[in-house]
Amino acid sequence: MMLSRPKPGESEVDLLRFQSQFLKAGAAPAVQLVKGSRRRGDAHPEQLPLRDHRDVVTLDNLPDLPPALVPAPAKRARASPGHPLPQDEDPEERLSRHDQHITAVLSKIIERDTSSVAVTLPVPSAVAFPAVFHRSQERQGKSATSGKRSIFAQEIAARRVTENRVPAAGEVVPSLDPPEGAVPSEPPSSRDKGSRFLGGSHDFHRSNLVTGKGLRSQAAEQEVQTIHEENVARLQAMDPEEILKEQQQLLAQLDPSLVAFLRSHGNALEQAGTKATKEQSPGSPTVPVTKEEPIMSTSASESRKEDKLEPRAPALKLPMTPHKEWLHMDTVELEKLHWTQDLPPLRRQQTQERMQARFSLQGELLAPDVDLPTHLGLHHHGEEAERAGYSLQELFHLTRSQVSQQRALALHVLSQIIGRAQAGEFGDRLVGSILRLLLDAGFLFLLRFSLDDRVDGVIAAAVRALRTLLVAPGDEELLDSTFSWYHGASAFPLMPSQEDKEDEGEEEEPTTEKAKKKTPEEESRPPPDLARHDVIKGLLATNLLPRLRYVLEVTCPGPSVVLDILAVLTRVARHSLESAMRVLECPRLIDTIVQEFLPTSWSPMGVGPTSSLYKVPCAAAMKLLRVLASAGRNIAARLLSSLDFRSRLCRFVAEAPQELALPPEEAETLSTEALRLWAVLASYGQGGDLYRELYPVLMRALQTLPTELSTHPPRPLSMQRMASLLTLLTQLTLAASSTHPESTSGSAEAYVSAIPSSITWTQVSGLQPLVEPCLKQALKFLPRPDVWNALGPVPSACLLFLSAYYQAWSQQVSLCPEDWLQDMERLLDEFLLPLLNQASLGHLWDSLRHCSALCNPLSCAPAPEALPSLVSLGCAGGCPSLSVAASASPFPFLTALLSLLNTLVRIHRGLWGQLAAVLATPGLQKYFLQCVAPGPAPQLTPFSAWALRHEYHLQYLVLSLAQKVALLQPEPATNTALHHAMALALLSRLLPGSEYLAQELLLSCVFRLEFLPENASGGPEAADFSDGLSLGNSGDPQCRRGALLVQACQDLPSIRSCYLAHCSPARASLLTSQALYRGELLRVSSLLLPVPKEPLLPTDWPFQPLIHLYHQASDTPSGLPAADSVGIAMRVLQWVLVLESWRPEALWAVPPAARLARLMCVFLVDSELFRETPVQHLVAALLARLCQPQVLPSLNLDCPLPGLTSFPDLYASFLDHFEAVSFGDHLFGALVLLPLQRHFSVTLRLALFGEHVGVLRALGLPLTQLPVPLECYTEPAEDSLALLQLYFRALVTGALRPHWCPVLYTVVLAHVNSFIFSQDPKSSDEVKAARRSMLQKTWLLADEGLRQHLLHYKLPNSSLPEGFELYSQLPHLRQQYLQTLPTEVLQNGGFKT
């Protein structure tokens, strides 16, 4: 029968009914209760309850039975079932042998005699009953181990102790542990221990334990003395080891309470004796007495420490005395009270040793010797307790606390530390980077774990710390304030620039497709590995976005947390297109942000803090959407077509800021962000239909701009809103252009070009009369720098609008060109000419050098806490006062002015004469001269890349204007050469995203004959006069450098075609950049630029086609030359010769050794290229330039060269190629000889004389054609013994002969002669032996001519046919040295002079 269990809700009547049913059924109960005995050991094993296997909850340190008041009786001996007693053994002997009781020690027991015990009468009292005492009046010194005795019994025992002055059995003796601060000593040896037991300070003349109490008085002292002498004699007969063994055995047998009583009894007697001595002689000096610790085992010592002593005499110096009546102070644990002591004195640092950094609760770095009061809460740590502040390790430990307030406090302090570190407050006071240290310690994932906390305060602190780590406030302010600059809406992604293997070879892949796919390696990498290279990627791999969405959607945090989350999301969106897509596609994230923080209706908000941001418009949310839209066209389209976004955007644009029922600053910022978001949408050609709906609103806003500009002082937020409005109108005007460039590839581009614009020219043609008054009002403040700087980007935005307006107007094919040409002339007369003639504009040109990042590389220095894995613009401390981003920077206004001038000159060529004066401005020329001067290039950091991009815009626009003017003016201007040098420098500096500018420079300025005025002003003739060397036929006029330069100028179109074919950017990147700079809005795919890993072109870009030709020949297995290899090599060598002759500053960044390596590539391409006569002439001219006296000292072949793994490897292949195909070509041989100079590495000479000796047979370059002086090879003397031996072997074996290789024969002869006649006393024995052996072999040579040359060599002389001079007679010193040879050697050689 199955009985059901009781269910919830059933009453007691139901339970009784179940009980009756159970009893009637007669079933066996599931649990059997057994009543245990109260006395331990009485129950039989059969009666013990069965142990079940159910879970039982037990409490630690809680005994099963209450402690007994009396000692428990000894257990009866019972035979073990597994070990029965032997039958043949006497039980008495067995007990005696194994007896370990105290009676085995105290074998002689005498019965106590009570006949002489004094009878103590009760103490008389004046009252009938004892005085009533309260619990609060309990004695401070009562027993700490009273057990379960009542309070009354404890008090009576204490009174008896006071009356009798005898310690009670349960009293605890004060600790004998040494006080804190005592110097620890080493443990005594066995001999020392023995001496402690048998001598020392122990009083062995009487017994302290056996007192004779209870015996008759006449026999008591004698019996006690007898027992004492027996004990002492037995102890003296034992070794110290035996004493220790017996001591441990006794302590294991005796009851711990009895041991405590015996020790307390002995200590009480010692203390009584000491006190009596002090009372007898109070005036005598105190003699220190060393107390010996009682002999005890380690386990007993530990147990004694656990049973803590009287709290009235603690070993620690505590500021208070703990009492038992205090809560949880029943057992005083002194080691846990160390923190209550006074702090140790602050240590003064006497050395330069580094100390651990400690920070205040506000994140300030505290000095090591700062002394702060303890009430500030900065001393709650264990290590270095005397120092204020907390270390990073202690703060990390505090973040794992169980107390939520402590976790939040630790995160807050860490956030403050990061903020101060990013601001550069710590400077050089810390070793290393704090951010790097924190990230390596796992701080990023600590924040991520803290976001999963259940406590709102901890979540808020974690979000704030995450924002402080990821978001630099100066970065957002910088990017926002420059939004209205020339292409200021475009920005580089804030992601690390390290090169990934997956990115190689993917230049042609569209950015959108690249962002959608993720490599399997990246998906499988754990978040810590991702975060080590990219913090944002590591965070996204931990599902950060869903967690932030949960916090926003479910927890509904306060305003500060909401703003922090929105700032973090904005930073993630700026990381890359992929990150922006993940933010957009996170489920319900954007929906929650738009619905909660961008509502269309809300309650009016007053000035002051608010309790919640929900259902209230937030400018940070609008900015997040704007940054997302900037990442790509598709994201912008999805935002515009979802969440009723059009109506929301109209809602915030239609009303003026003062009408939004929000705090003034928030309303101004919200309106500005709405205009910027619309401008971003218009950059893609989207949102044009909103223009028709909001046209009246925009017109009304434009009409109020002049009035707002006249307000003093100008309000920064208002200026930003006005500039954003003008930027929006600029993009809408560009969208009104009806003419699109013809598509050149693909049906997709043709389809994009065919899309009609939603805005017509008629709708925007009336904007110009409203913008010109704004420009006129703004230009009035140009002479007042303080007001002009406060206007911000408003004047620049006006000029950029006019440039876009005239560009769109000129593309209207249905309109009369005369209209816009006349209007341009009117604009020139009314605005531009007065502006160009103002002295204040000259001051702006003069300030270019001071604010330039090129001229002042220190203004772009990396931030103090810059990390490669966490990209930041480094503006946390604000931009320098003199930089591109400073408020007084002239770059935004002058760039906008140059953009307008370029548009006007391109459309109306008749204006170039009046606008060409801009190019002759002294400030601009000085700026260009400093930009082309040799100097260190600024380090490519995120901020420098941003600043240089805007600076390059100004340089390009100046060069573009100069190119237009140069085509129109009949004679070249005086500054044309400077502009050409600037174009060459700019071409090698342009960053990714400026591919269109690089292409335009190659097409226009760089290879234009108009920018080479030297060709028409006697430059070739001057080159012929300056030439001192020529490796070709010097009598042939065609091989002179002047003729080569003239031919190069005639071949400039072919040279340009060659470089366009090899140096043009990738087509996909070029089309993207072209659409952005030409205003083709429908082809703009993203406002995020490529990552600025390096400049578009390398510094040695003039050699780039030649390098491509070399690699192509190396990769061709057949070895056949590439098509038109001769033409490519000629064009490159011609252009390099032009640069070497007339623009040497363009090649300053290429070391002479790198130029030599590039020339060697000409000979390595194939076996016939170097034989071409034009190539021979050009290489000879370039080699002569490298061998000039002023260039030769800087020719360093040992330094690392760009594009080369090792120069010796290249030289080895060069020797192989020479030996195979040269056929003794003199120019080829000159290049072989050039690296063999004495000051170059000996490795190159060893390679020739060790592995390529056959080269000497074909190296027949005459001494007269050697491009460098012969002394460069012979001085100083060779000191490599291995090379000297190779030299001598080549001479003796005949591999090196004067008619085969005259240059090296002279060089080797000079070094061997110098070596064999050297008498350096510092030479090693090995060198001396080799010298003597070589001299003997020279003396014994059969070749009389070689022997004569080696012994009679005098000095090199390239004018002689043989190349050296000989002594007609050996000098006296050489004769004496030869006589030191053995006699048989001299006789065999036939000594001659």
Side-chain angles (χ1 to χ4, degrees), residues 984-990 1059 1062-1064 1094-1105 1107-1108 1146-1147 1149-1150 1158 1202-1203:
L984 293 171
L986 179 60
L987 184 61
S988 61
R989 294 170 179 170
L990 286 175
Y1059 279 93
H1062 291 86
C1063 296
S1064 292
E1094 57 184 0
L1096 288 174
L1097 295 178
T1099 54
D1100 61 343
W1101 67 267
F1103 298 92
Q1104 201 70 17
I1107 296 175
H1108 289 171
L1147 295 176
V1150 185
R1158 272 55 174 175

Side-chain angles (χ1 to χ4, degrees), residues 104 106 207 232 397 399 587 601 616 776 932 950 1049 1093 1262:
L106 305 176
S207 176
V232 171
H397 183 72
T399 57
S601 61
V616 176
K776 185 177 182 179
V932 299
H950 288 285
C1049 291
K1093 300 177 182 178

Side-chain angles (χ1 to χ4, degrees), residues 91 101 127 148 420 426 497 546 573 665 783 1046 1059 1151 1162 1290 1315 1368:
H101 196 259
V127 296
K148 293 295 182 179
R420 294 180 182 275
F426 300 147
S497 59
E665 292 187 1
V1046 171
Y1059 279 93
V1162 176
F1315 177 70
S1368 59

Side-chain angles (χ1 to χ4, degrees), residues 1317-1391:
F1317 288 109
S1318 174
Q1319 301 181 19
D1320 186 7
K1322 298 181 181 180
S1323 301
S1324 62
D1325 295 338
E1326 180 185 5
V1327 173
K1328 292 179 180 178
R1331 179 187 300 119
R1332 192 169 186 82
S1333 173
M1334 195 177 296
L1335 182 59
Q1336 292 179 6
K1337 293 177 181 178
T1338 302
W1339 181 255
L1340 298 175
L1341 280 175
D1343 187 349
E1344 186 64 27
L1346 178 60
R1347 180 170 175 268
Q1348 184 77 6
H1349 289 169
L1350 286 174
L1351 294 178
H1352 290 257
Y1353 174 83
K1354 182 178 181 180
L1355 52 86
N1357 188 349
S1358 57
S1359 61
L1360 297 177
E1362 58 273 11
F1364 53 88
E1365 298 180 9
L1366 296 176
Y1367 285 109
S1368 59
Q1369 184 178 2
L1370 276 178
H1372 182 67
L1373 291 177
R1374 292 190 183 183
Q1375 293 181 14
Q1376 290 182 347
Y1377 189 65
L1378 286 173
Q1379 291 176 359
T1380 60
L1381 296 177
T1383 306
E1384 60 274 10
V1385 174
L1386 294 175
Q1387 292 176 355
N1388 293 335
F1391 180 78

Side-chain angles (χ1 to χ4, degrees), residues 335-366:
E335 67 272 7
K336 295 184 179 180
L337 296 177
H338 276 278
W339 65 274
T340 63
Q341 291 182 291
D342 292 336
L343 291 175
L346 190 64
R347 294 177 300 171
R348 303 294 177 181
Q349 188 178 8
Q350 302 296 333
T351 63
Q352 297 296 327
E353 183 182 359
R354 299 173 180 173
M355 301 186 70
Q356 192 176 33
R358 294 194 171 274
F359 303 89
S360 68
L361 297 181
Q362 288 74 36
E364 301 169 341
L365 180 63
L366 300 179

